[in-house]
Amino acid sequence: MIHSLFLINSAGDIFLEKHWKSVVSRSVCDYFFEAQGKANDVENVPPVIPTPHHYLISIYQDKIFFVAVIQTEVPPLFVIEFLHRVVEMFQDYFGECSEAAIKENVVTVYELLEEMLDNGFPLATESNILKELIRPPTILRSVVNSITGSSNVGETLPTGQLSGIPWRRAEVKYTNNEAYFDVVEEIDAILDKSGSTVFAEIQGVIDASIKLSGMPDLTLSFMNPRLLDDVSFHPCVRFKRWESERVLSFIPPDGNFRLMDYHVGSQNLVAIPVYVNHNINFKESGSSGRFDVTVGLKQTMGKSVEGVTMTVHMPKVVLNMNLTPTQGTYTYDPVTKILTWDIGKINPQKIPNLKGVICLQSGAPKPEENPNLNIQFRIQQLAISGIKVNRLDMFGEKYKPFKGVKYVTKAGKFQVRT
Amino acid sequence: MTDSKYFTTTKKGEIFELKAELNSDKKEKKKEAVKKVIASMTVGKDVSALFPDVVNCMQTDNLELKKLVYLYLMNYAKSQPDMAIMAVNTFVKDCEDPNPLIRALAVRTMGCIRVDKITEYLCEPLRKCLKDEDPYVRKTAAVCVAKLHDINAQLVEDQGFLDTLKDLISDSNPMVVANAVAALSEIAESHPNSNLLDLNPQSINKLLTALNECTEWGQIFILDCLANYTPRDDRESQSICERVTPRLSHANSAVVLSAVKVLMKFMEMLPKDLDYYGTLLKKLAPPLVTLLSAEPELQYVALRNINLIVQKRPEILKHEMKVFFVKYNDPIYVKLEKLDIMIRLASQANIAQVLAELKEYATEVDVDFVRKAVRAIGRCAIKVEQSAERCVSTLLDLIQTKVNYVVQEAIVVIKDIFRKYPNKYESVIATLCENLDSLDEPEARAAMIWIVGEYAERIDNADELLESFLEGFHDESTQVQLQLLTAIVKLFLKKPTETQELVQQVLSLATQDSDNPDLRDRGYIYWRLLSTDPVAAKEVVLAEKPLISEETDLIEPTLLDELICHIGTLASVYHKPPNAFVEGSRGVQHKRLPPRTGSNESPESPELAQPAAAQPADQPPAVIPSQGDLLGDLLNLDLGPPTSGGTPAITSAMQMGAMDLLGGGLDSLLGGDLGGSPAIGAGSRSCSYAVLPQCPSRGWSRDLFDLGSGVGMPAGSYVVPKTVWLPAMKAKGLEISGTFARRMGTIQMDVTFTNKAMQIMTDFAIQFNRNSFGLSPAAPLQLATPLSPNQTIEVSLPLSTVGPVMKMDPLNNLQVAVKNNIDVFYFSSLYPINILFVEDGKMERQVFLATWKDIPSDNEAQFQIKDCHLNSDAVSNKLQSNNIFTIAKRNVEGQDMLYQSMKLTNGIWILAELRIQPGSPNFTLSLKCRAPEISQFVLQSYEAMLKN
């Protein structure tokens, strides 16, 4: 199982280590640094690195490498999932997962890690349970603690850990009972030069924010559940009911959680809300090129498209760009070679365009590669897959909760080839 | 007030100050101090000096303070074992606390204190906790058994904890079940043959019930455990599959992949005509696709596994090609894996799409990725015959871009296309030749030279082209030199009249001016062939080559089946069986897919029909499969009967060969491809040229009566009984069995030849492939008489260790070729490493101490030798006769510690510490060596010697 954990910042300093079994010397990280040196980019460090006596499994999150050390055969996904859980927990506790936040709360971090794994076996990884064991730091509490001398550690047994529903703690009480759901869909797509779709799929999630007293038993049904053939659920969802009736029946955890992930695959037709006309070329001789890009609306189901930005990673030889946008602002960073065009909301009557001259390094050969255009956008009140929540029923409690569903569609990895 | 202040205190008197604060009367101050201590510990500062002061804070009602002290204890108890005893009482008391949280905390912490002395005190509290009324305490105690087992396995067995743990599998609480399974799985890993997880239909049922109710992590443990079960028939298999499929919709990807493993394995037993089989196939695709939308690290592991799955069952993902299309901001490791899977899924139906994508990728920025994309186009051509034409034209388009690395990569794959579709696309050769000058990478140059040589008769200026390469012959890499030599010989055989001069030139360059043994050998072979029998030469050199097929990059089926059983594990990420890993797999059994039952169709491969019983640990000797490239074989192992004429420089060639590898060999052995072992010190390298080998400096023809030393000289050293290396079935009636021994300072291979055929066998010769320690015959193989049917002859062949060196896997693998008048046979055998222990392996005490300290503790390997009933003197004597020298003996706390050293023929020292407890049959052996790969082989030798 998981032997040790090292946290390494972008400068290459190991700023935290935790061992769940015997101590593994931090020199084992040298193998990691070696692999990091070989990779040309921090993102490209391989996630599994063998060393003579250990295996290093790492993830890169928020500019921190989380490097787990294992000695025996352990499923790597198990380790990676666990590391992501640690990151989530830090974000949950400290609001962000940064080196400063971790250092600031080092004792809590250490206590958390100790509760999450026992001898390398996961112990408590549900945020509800952990919060009962170790209270998250708040400004008020730390002030109170320093005056009264009480501590962050809970004195009670984590009740949820023993029950059949470990994700919910008992005796939850709210004055306002609310249940909100966010249906968020991201379109991952690759469009080719001519604008036709090479590949497109929708990654959807339903995030829930549930503040209900007692032990509510919820049932969520959809207008068109047949769209969902590839789903994964939070452990609270009763799979049998989904299989037989296509409804989500569950006793929710308290607070914010992800109820389900779904995936509308490449078999279904995916609507593409925007189109991009582009003409980017470099002159064979001379040191310049032309850039002319237009972003327009396609299938938006009558909703407006907002927060549109386009980023382009230009070839190395591009020194600068002199462009004129008809809408929004653009920046070009000559160091990272990244062009960003912040468009904002697209007005269907006035299609935004960005046009101008590319300055190349003189004497350099014409670039071989064609830059990819990355598009970001947001459409409120629309789930592009067409999924719709029908109703939410609550059993087991007597009060009437407030209910609400919000839809939003965003661009995920939305790329246009040129 | 935040904790970051703890990071900044770097004052000199820090420890002293903390000590004062820890002993303060004020509760609050104490707690602050403990927090500071913990923070220092977290960043790696040594605060062990504060041990007694921190332990004093343990007796407190404040839960946070108690936890912090426990944290500290876990870290430092090992360095202060005597002090740690002080904590025992508090633990025992806490295990009786009315609060189950405190009971659990105590039992959890106890297990983490890795001090032998303490463990005994902990057995009673642990036993109580295993039967605690509170499931939270029970589940914590279950894990504690695994911890304790890690520290003292014997104690756990003696105290009967294993049985209690087994009982917990039927516990009413699913979390307790899951943790018991997890603990047992971990313990079972170090006990490969124990039946700890003895699964039967009842226990399976319990596991399946617990599966639905336990946490995600528990589900992983249970699924991995289920995967080891072999159902009785297809109905049981189906019912397990039905209960596991809901796990495919779990949000935790590790759960999903473990479920996929169970399903892939049990599916094997379902008849293919069953409706359920089809349903299951359909259900597997969506979760695999979903894994690809997760974080890149998860994607990577998923892709490595999908790579196996599509090889085993391509039908699952055949419609999902598009999800493997590469996004330009994927990390490189994801891109390369996706590409690989795209080729595996390529078929006539989707090839147009795939080619369009690949062409797109070939214009990307990342050089590695572009290269692989170009290569992928070639692989598509080889895989999908209908697309070959389109692939070739795509490659030609890419060559027109003139981007240097694209052109080179394209030429390499076009060579492969020629080998798959000979005489079809030769029209493109002209285009290729235009790019001759831009090729600067060895592989591309070698490919181009191969093409020119192969099609010499169609290229008018082939001789000029090859001659232009010849100018810088000595600056070329070996690969290019070898290829050039062969190409020119081909050219000569095709156009003998114009190229005589060229061939003379290359032969003399290869044989006289080169110090590369491979090149020289190949040069001599050609020279002799050409000078003795040009017709034969033509037959050999211009022989029709077998077509290559796409299977070359598929994983071999038996290995694939084994890897399918390991989906989701490290083995599946590396595509190597678990026993190929250095550590943590000390006795992993081979896993097999279960045989299909209950249907009238035959299993897919014959191996599957065998019962799934564990394979015996010592593998039967493998016969090296005859390789496709006949020419290559012949050249690598030159075995030919002595040709009387035309062998001008054989002697020097052999000397050169032997000398060369003393330098390079050691490094390649030590700096092996695991990339981990530290470079060896200068000491052992400096000897490379000083000890010139006593190489057999005679030609093959002269040594007819030079018999090796006699058979069976008795000596004290341990000799493994003979085993059959080459069964008669595989060698046209010749059976070879044998063993290795070290007698009077020389290594001998004792071989028994038995003729089980009907004809007489003569003209025996033997040759070894390059191997890890340079073993090679010191004298030719001599059988005094021809071997008549049913006759057996025993021969002892003296071996030297100055042969060519190449790291083998396993390290002690020796591949042997034996020739007789009938054929050449290949087999491989494993030699015990103790034959390499030299007589002067006794180290000075001082040197031993210094070396032991000098070798990093990462290189230390510890083993248990069980059931050995010898006392330390007998052990010492026994080992001494095998050149393992006891340097010192010490008695520590009633245990005998023997410090031993041995030296290998290549100068590698191995240091050992053998701990013997009088009255106990189990020894502990710690080995330290600069080349830690060797340790497990040394252990095998120890075990063999001590038990015989």
Side-chain angles (χ1 to χ4, degrees):
Chain A
M1 292 295 116
I2 300 170
H3 217 102
S4 304
L5 174 70
F6 293 95
L7 301 194
I8 300 172
N9 65 14
S10 42
D13 299 325
I14 304 170
F15 66 93
L16 190 116
E17 57 182 290
K18 165 80 187 136
H19 307 277
W20 283 277
K21 291 183 167 185
S22 50
V23 176
V24 177
S25 156
R26 54 166 68 190
S27 64
V28 76
C29 291
D30 293 348
Y31 295 101
F32 177 81
F33 295 130
E34 198 182 307
Q36 196 184 9
K38 279 185 203 153
N40 49 7
D41 188 39
V42 280
E43 311 265 338
N44 287 344
V45 182
V48 186
I49 300 167
T51 80
H53 298 273
H54 304 92
Y55 289 88
L56 305 179
I57 297 182
S58 62
I59 65 167
Y60 181 68
Q61 281 275 323
D62 303 299
K63 303 208 169 115
I64 301 172
F65 282 103
F66 289 73
V67 183
V69 182
I70 59 172
Q71 203 160 21
T72 48
E73 176 71 89
V74 181
L77 278 186
F78 173 103
V79 181
I80 294 172
E81 280 278 358
F82 176 79
L83 292 177
H84 280 295
R85 211 56 63 84
V86 172
V87 173
E88 278 165 29
M89 210 55 70
F90 288 172
Q91 283 164 344
D92 199 12
Y93 264 75
F94 316 127
E96 54 166 355
C97 176
S98 64
E99 186 183 351
I102 293 173
K103 279 188 170 172
E104 207 147 287
N105 299 289
V106 67
V107 175
T108 312
V109 164
Y110 223 52
E111 285 172 343
L112 270 177
L113 292 175
E114 190 56 40
E115 288 300 334
M116 290 178 84
L117 279 190
D118 176 20
N119 197 38
F121 294 103
L123 193 61
T125 53
E126 284 286 338
S127 109
N128 280 292
I129 296 170
L130 282 169
K131 283 188 178 157
E132 268 183 85
L133 288 169
I134 302 155
R135 295 197 200 104
T138 60
I139 294 171
L140 179 68
R141 187 165 304 130
S142 61
V143 173
V144 172
N145 283 353
S146 62
I147 297 167
T148 60
S150 63
S151 71
N152 284 336
V153 173
E155 295 275 350
T156 49
L157 181 68
T159 43
Q161 209 159 10
L162 303 178
S163 69
I165 35 171
W167 54 86
R168 191 173 179 88
R169 60 196 168 95
E171 290 158 42
V172 185
K173 274 218 167 63
Y174 289 100
T175 43
N176 291 326
N177 289 296
E178 315 166 314
Y180 295 121
F181 296 90
D182 284 334
V183 180
V184 183
E185 296 195 337
E186 293 195 350
I187 307 175
D188 284 356
I190 303 176
L191 307 183
D192 72 3
K193 277 189 192 63
S194 59
S196 52
T197 312
V198 176
F199 157 82
E201 61 178 13
I202 296 167
Q203 309 289 350
V205 297
I206 300 183
D207 284 334
S209 174
I210 309 268
K211 291 176 177 163
L212 298 174
S213 314
M215 271 289 165
D217 195 332
L218 302 179
T219 308
L220 185 76
S221 63
F222 296 98
M223 307 273 255
N224 37 12
R226 248 179 307 143
L227 279 170
L228 305 170
D229 60 343
D230 180 6
V231 288
S232 44
F233 297 120
H234 188 277
C236 68
V237 176
R238 298 183 180 99
F239 192 72
K240 282 251 164 62
R241 291 276 312 265
W242 171 257
E243 285 251 285
S244 55
E245 299 164 51
R246 298 271 142 177
V247 295
L248 300 181
S249 157
F250 56 98
I251 295 175
D254 185 37
N256 300 326
F257 66 100
R258 177 154 297 175
L259 181 62
M260 72 181 280
D261 285 284
Y262 60 92
H263 171 249
V264 180
S266 40
Q267 312 295 344
N268 299 45
L269 222 53
V270 175
I272 303 291
V274 297
Y275 72 86
V276 179
N277 282 340
H278 52 82
N279 182 14
I280 302 172
N281 54 46
F282 305 103
K283 290 208 183 97
E284 197 64 58
S285 60
S287 53
S288 68
R290 295 284 311 161
F291 186 95
D292 184 349
V293 173
T294 310
V295 183
L297 300 180
K298 233 161 124 187
Q299 299 151 290
T300 60
M301 326 282 168
K303 307 275 189 210
S304 63
V305 179
E306 322 167 346
V308 185
T309 50
M310 185 181 80
T311 47
V312 190
H313 198 133
M314 298 302 288
K316 273 206 190 85
V317 292
V318 175
L319 280 185
N320 215 334
M321 303 182 76
N322 284 320
L323 309 172
T324 340
T326 61
Q327 181 184 342
T329 53
Y330 85 95
T331 52
Y332 178 71
D333 183 342
V335 181
T336 56
K337 310 287 178 197
I338 290 175
L339 167 72
T340 314
W341 179 23
D342 196 344
I343 304 172
K345 187 169 167 180
I346 295 184
N347 177 356
Q349 269 75 51
K350 201 169 143 269
I351 297 299
N353 167 273
L354 180 68
K355 162 155 91 167
V357 186
I358 308 171
C359 308
L360 300 180
Q361 203 175 319
S362 57
K366 181 185 159 211
E368 306 290 347
E369 74 263 17
N370 304 319
N372 268 295
L373 313 178
N374 254 11
I375 312 287
Q376 289 297 321
F377 55 79
R378 199 173 59 240
I379 308 173
Q380 301 286 3
Q381 295 312 319
L382 172 73
I384 196 95
S385 68
I387 196 81
K388 265 215 151 67
V389 173
N390 185 20
R391 54 182 295 143
L392 177 74
D393 297 307
M394 188 179 76
F395 307 94
E397 296 289 334
K398 297 225 162 65
Y399 54 84
K400 271 229 171 278
F402 294 102
K403 300 179 274 192
V405 182
K406 238 169 49 184
Y407 300 91
V408 64
T409 296
K410 296 194 259 186
K413 290 179 173 170
F414 195 98
Q415 306 181 351
V416 183
R417 291 177 179 160
T418 62
Chain B
M1 262 210 316
T2 66
D3 297 343
S4 54
K5 62 178 184 287
Y6 303 132
F7 281 91
T8 49
T9 47
T10 47
K11 286 170 288 177
K12 273 210 167 151
E14 191 188 353
I15 296 275
F16 186 76
E17 240 170 63
L18 280 173
K19 206 177 179 95
E21 283 177 39
L22 283 170
N23 291 318
S24 153
D25 299 331
K26 285 186 194 146
K27 230 176 164 187
E28 192 48 33
K29 206 156 195 183
K30 253 187 188 177
K31 201 170 82 188
E32 271 305 287
V34 175
K35 275 192 173 184
K36 279 186 203 163
V37 172
I38 298 282
S40 313
M41 183 175 90
T42 320
V43 292
K45 284 184 206 158
D46 183 17
V47 284
S48 60
L50 294 166
F51 199 91
D53 308 282
V54 177
V55 171
N56 273 339
C57 303
M58 193 170 162
Q59 297 245 10
T60 170
D61 299 330
N62 185 315
L63 195 57
E64 185 181 23
L65 189 54
K66 197 183 255 310
K67 276 189 164 181
L68 292 173
V69 175
Y70 277 180
L71 277 180
Y72 179 89
L73 266 178
M74 287 184 226
N75 239 16
Y76 287 117
K78 189 151 196 188
S79 57
Q80 310 258 341
D82 297 326
M83 292 287 197
I85 299 259
M86 289 163 51
V88 165
N89 261 333
T90 319
F91 281 130
V92 175
K93 220 173 88 200
D94 283 353
C95 282
E96 313 257 318
D97 198 279
N99 184 345
L101 186 61
I102 296 201
R103 292 205 297 275
L105 184 63
V107 76
R108 215 174 100 199
T109 314
M110 264 164 33
C112 296
I113 298 184
R114 309 177 62 85
V115 177
D116 281 345
K117 273 190 215 160
I118 291 196
T119 46
E120 291 164 36
Y121 297 101
L122 304 180
C123 290
E124 274 323 299
L126 176 59
R127 200 186 315 279
K128 268 187 206 145
C129 288
L130 278 168
K131 303 224 160 98
D132 199 285
E133 54 175 19
D134 194 303
Y136 183 64
V137 180
R138 286 204 301 276
K139 88 175 187 145
T140 315
V143 174
C144 188
V145 176
K147 295 180 197 171
L148 201 57
H149 186 271
D150 196 29
I151 305 166
N152 190 341
Q154 195 59 45
L155 185 73
V156 170
E157 277 172 46
D158 295 346
Q159 296 277 337
F161 285 141
L162 292 183
D163 295 323
T164 323
L165 207 51
K166 279 189 215 164
D167 293 343
L168 286 184
I169 291 191
S170 347
D171 198 279
S172 56
N173 184 297
M175 274 317 300
V176 179
V177 177
N179 273 16
V181 169
L184 280 172
S185 310
E186 191 175 78
I187 294 173
E189 208 166 311
S190 52
H191 281 261
N193 297 318
S194 60
N195 296 336
L196 281 179
L197 282 165
D198 199 8
L199 297 174
N200 53 46
Q202 286 76 38
S203 54
I204 288 292
N205 202 22
K206 280 192 184 116
L207 290 183
L208 285 168
T209 313
L211 182 62
N212 288 325
E213 292 169 26
C214 65
T215 69
E216 47 198 315
W217 314 109
Q219 295 185 11
I220 300 170
F221 297 133
I222 293 182
L223 286 168
D224 284 347
C225 175
L226 277 177
N228 291 329
Y229 177 65
T230 310
R232 286 159 306 175
D233 51 33
D234 52 330
R235 291 188 49 190
E236 191 187 5
S237 185
Q238 178 174 347
S239 88
I240 295 176
C241 287
E242 276 166 0
R243 295 177 71 177
V244 167
T245 19
R247 298 300 122 209
L248 291 176
S249 300
H250 202 286
N252 185 319
S253 61
V255 175
V256 174
L257 207 55
S258 289
V260 168
K261 163 163 63 184
V262 175
L263 296 175
M264 282 293 286
K265 194 176 168 189
F266 289 0
M267 239 174 133
E268 197 65 32
M269 287 184 75
L270 300 176
K272 279 192 170 166
D273 43 8
L274 197 71
D275 285 345
Y276 183 70
Y277 181 84
T279 323
L280 202 52
L281 275 184
K282 274 200 206 98
K283 279 193 173 163
L284 277 170
L288 291 174
V289 171
T290 304
L291 290 180
L292 296 181
S293 51
E295 286 84 359
E297 304 93 7
L298 293 172
Q299 279 190 50
Y300 171 74
V301 177
L303 285 165
R304 291 295 284 174
N305 281 285
I306 290 174
N307 200 329
L308 295 173
I309 293 169
V310 296
Q311 287 186 57
K312 181 72 190 165
R313 297 194 185 284
E315 62 271 30
I316 295 177
L317 286 168
K318 66 180 172 200
H319 298 302
E320 301 288 351
M321 173 61 97
K322 284 186 174 177
V323 298
F324 298 104
F325 285 180
V326 173
K327 301 191 178 90
Y328 95 104
N329 44 5
D330 282 334
I332 182 74
Y333 54 83
V334 168
K335 285 182 175 175
L336 296 178
E337 287 308 315
K338 281 188 172 174
L339 207 52
D340 218 38
I341 295 171
M342 278 173 70
I343 303 163
R344 300 217 191 282
L345 288 176
S347 66
Q348 206 183 337
N350 56 24
I351 191 75
Q353 242 179 355
V354 173
L355 270 181
E357 279 296 300
L358 291 176
K359 203 173 165 185
E360 193 69 44
Y361 303 159
T363 63
E364 281 221 24
V365 198
D366 195 312
V367 177
D368 283 340
F369 179 57
V370 170
R371 283 171 180 274
K372 188 141 185 187
V374 176
R375 228 163 244 237
I377 297 176
R379 278 169 67 186
C380 283
I382 291 165
K383 185 169 179 194
V384 185
E385 187 159 0
Q386 295 82 354
S387 74
E389 186 127 16
R390 222 171 332 167
C391 294
V392 172
S393 76
T394 309
L395 286 171
L396 284 178
D397 286 353
L398 289 173
I399 288 177
Q400 297 306 342
T401 64
K402 302 278 179 196
V403 179
N404 192 283
Y405 52 85
V406 174
V407 173
Q408 310 213 36
E409 212 57 48
I411 286 182
V412 173
V413 293
I414 286 181
K415 180 203 73 177
D416 288 339
I417 295 178
F418 283 166
R419 289 203 57 186
K420 168 77 179 178
Y421 309 108
N423 306 320
K424 216 165 159 192
Y425 299 109
E426 280 71 22
S427 52
V428 308
I429 290 177
T431 324
L432 301 185
C433 289
E434 286 166 20
N435 294 288
L436 214 57
D437 299 332
S438 65
L439 308 181
D440 54 8
E441 289 162 23
E443 205 182 351
R445 286 174 82 87
M448 192 64 221
I449 293 170
W450 182 88
I451 293 172
V452 174
E454 190 66 18
Y455 298 102
E457 67 274 25
R458 305 189 198 184
I459 304 170
D460 295 335
N461 58 345
D463 49 342
E464 280 169 38
L465 293 176
L466 292 177
E467 201 171 354
S468 68
F469 281 106
L470 204 55
E471 277 161 20
F473 188 77
H474 289 300
D475 302 329
E476 300 281 5
S477 72
T478 313
Q479 188 185 12
V480 179
Q481 289 177 333
L482 287 170
Q483 209 52 260
L484 195 53
L485 173 62
T486 307
I488 291 180
V489 172
K490 280 182 190 165
L491 175 69
F492 171 70
L493 290 168
K494 287 175 177 175
K495 300 180 181 172
T497 45
E498 309 126 63
T499 55
Q500 198 149 9
E501 207 171 302
L502 196 61
V503 83
Q504 288 284 357
Q505 202 184 339
V506 76
L507 285 177
S508 79
L509 277 173
T511 53
Q512 273 153 33
D513 299 339
S514 167
D515 49 9
N516 181 314
D518 286 349
L519 188 62
R520 296 177 69 109
D521 281 0
R522 193 182 284 200
Y524 281 122
I525 277 273
Y526 283 142
W527 202 328
R528 271 181 271 164
L529 265 174
L530 292 175
S531 55
T532 45
D533 189 352
V535 180
K538 208 161 183 167
E539 267 169 36
V540 171
V541 178
L542 300 181
E544 199 159 309
K545 276 160 281 301
L547 297 183
I548 59 169
S549 65
E550 56 126 357
E551 271 84 52
T552 46
D553 55 65
L554 291 179
I555 296 175
E556 189 251 330
T558 46
L559 176 59
L560 180 62
D561 284 348
E562 192 181 347
L563 288 176
I564 288 285
C565 299
H566 289 285
I567 283 177
T569 65
L570 280 172
S572 70
V573 173
Y574 285 104
H575 292 185
K576 282 181 191 163
N579 52 6
F581 292 86
V582 186
E583 232 148 312
S585 57
R586 263 155 260 159
V588 180
Q589 293 177 357
H590 285 278
K591 290 188 185 169
R592 298 250 184 108
L593 289 178
R596 197 177 293 271
T597 58
S599 76
N600 45 9
E601 68 183 307
S602 63
E604 276 158 310
S605 63
E607 290 91 329
L608 294 177
Q610 291 165 12
Q615 206 169 309
D618 51 337
Q619 293 167 336
V623 173
I624 304 169
S626 52
Q627 255 128 46
D629 194 350
L630 271 172
L631 195 63
D633 261 355
L634 194 66
L635 291 172
N636 289 336
L637 281 170
D638 86 339
L639 253 189
T643 43
S644 40
T647 56
I650 285 281
T651 321
S652 67
M654 290 180 81
Q655 258 170 356
M656 289 308 297
M659 202 159 81
D660 177 51
L661 46 100
L662 271 178
L666 272 176
D667 281 355
S668 68
L669 177 62
L670 292 169
D673 49 6
L674 280 167
S677 35
I680 190 150
S684 52
R685 248 214 97 148
S686 60
C687 67
S688 1
Y689 282 85
V691 207
L692 243 184
Q694 292 193 326
C695 145
S697 53
R698 41 183 108 82
W700 282 92
S701 47
R702 274 198 20 220
D703 41 25
L704 258 163
F705 298 102
D706 197 24
L707 250 168
S709 42
V711 189
M713 233 184 276
S717 71
Y718 167 65
V719 179
V720 186
K722 282 187 181 175
T723 48
V724 176
W725 284 335
L726 182 71
M729 275 169 61
K730 295 208 165 153
K732 303 188 177 163
L734 176 67
E735 187 185 273
I736 301 177
S737 58
T739 185
F740 296 89
R742 187 175 183 93
R743 299 189 187 93
M744 322 285 285
T746 53
I747 305 171
Q748 293 184 339
M749 179 161 118
D750 298 344
V751 202
T752 308
F753 294 93
T754 311
N755 184 351
K756 294 194 171 171
M758 304 301 287
Q759 66 190 97
I760 291 176
M761 294 180 184
T762 56
D763 298 337
F764 281 89
I766 191 163
Q767 179 112 347
F768 293 173
N769 191 6
R770 293 194 282 175
N771 53 71
S772 318
F773 295 96
L775 285 178
S776 66
L781 178 67
Q782 291 298 328
L783 295 186
T785 51
L787 195 58
S788 44
N790 281 326
Q791 191 190 358
T792 296
I793 292 185
E794 294 194 354
V795 176
S796 245
L797 183 71
L799 306 183
S800 71
T801 52
V802 292
V805 174
M806 177 172 78
K807 191 180 172 185
M808 301 295 293
D809 186 31
L811 220 50
N812 62 340
N813 189 7
L814 179 66
Q815 298 182 339
V816 183
V818 166
K819 176 202 149 289
N820 63 13
N821 58 330
I822 300 170
D823 204 346
V824 183
F825 310 108
Y826 303 92
F827 62 88
S828 63
S829 59
L830 300 174
Y831 49 89
I833 206 148
N834 52 303
I835 61 167
L836 301 170
F837 296 164
V838 295
E839 280 65 23
D840 62 343
K842 185 160 187 169
M843 220 181 219
E844 290 292 321
R845 262 169 192 246
Q846 296 308 323
V847 183
F848 182 92
L849 273 176
T851 318
W852 183 273
K853 278 195 197 130
D854 197 35
I855 300 179
S857 58
D858 271 0
N859 282 9
E860 180 168 347
Q862 205 175 60
F863 306 98
Q864 291 273 337
I865 299 178
K866 302 212 159 152
D867 299 327
C868 184
H869 302 277
L870 293 171
N871 65 21
S872 56
D873 288 335
V875 167
S876 183
N877 286 336
K878 205 158 188 174
L879 294 178
Q880 177 109 27
S881 58
N882 286 292
N883 292 344
I884 299 175
F885 301 94
T886 304
I887 295 165
K889 182 177 157 185
R890 214 150 56 96
N891 191 296
V892 184
E893 292 159 16
Q895 298 185 340
D896 283 331
M897 313 280 272
L898 297 180
Y899 296 92
Q900 299 170 323
S901 74
M902 61 220 93
K903 189 170 106 176
L904 298 184
T905 46
N906 58 1
I908 295 178
W909 285 93
I910 299 146
L911 310 184
E913 179 198 273
L914 189 63
R915 203 186 312 155
I916 302 175
Q917 179 122 42
S920 158
N922 295 346
F923 299 173
T924 308
L925 176 66
S926 304
L927 292 173
K928 260 192 168 185
C929 177
R930 294 200 190 270
E933 302 99 296
I934 292 180
S935 300
Q936 55 164 310
F937 301 103
V938 175
L939 169 73
Q940 286 169 8
S941 288
Y942 261 86
E943 286 192 320
M945 289 168 200
L946 292 177
K947 289 179 185 173
N948 288 285

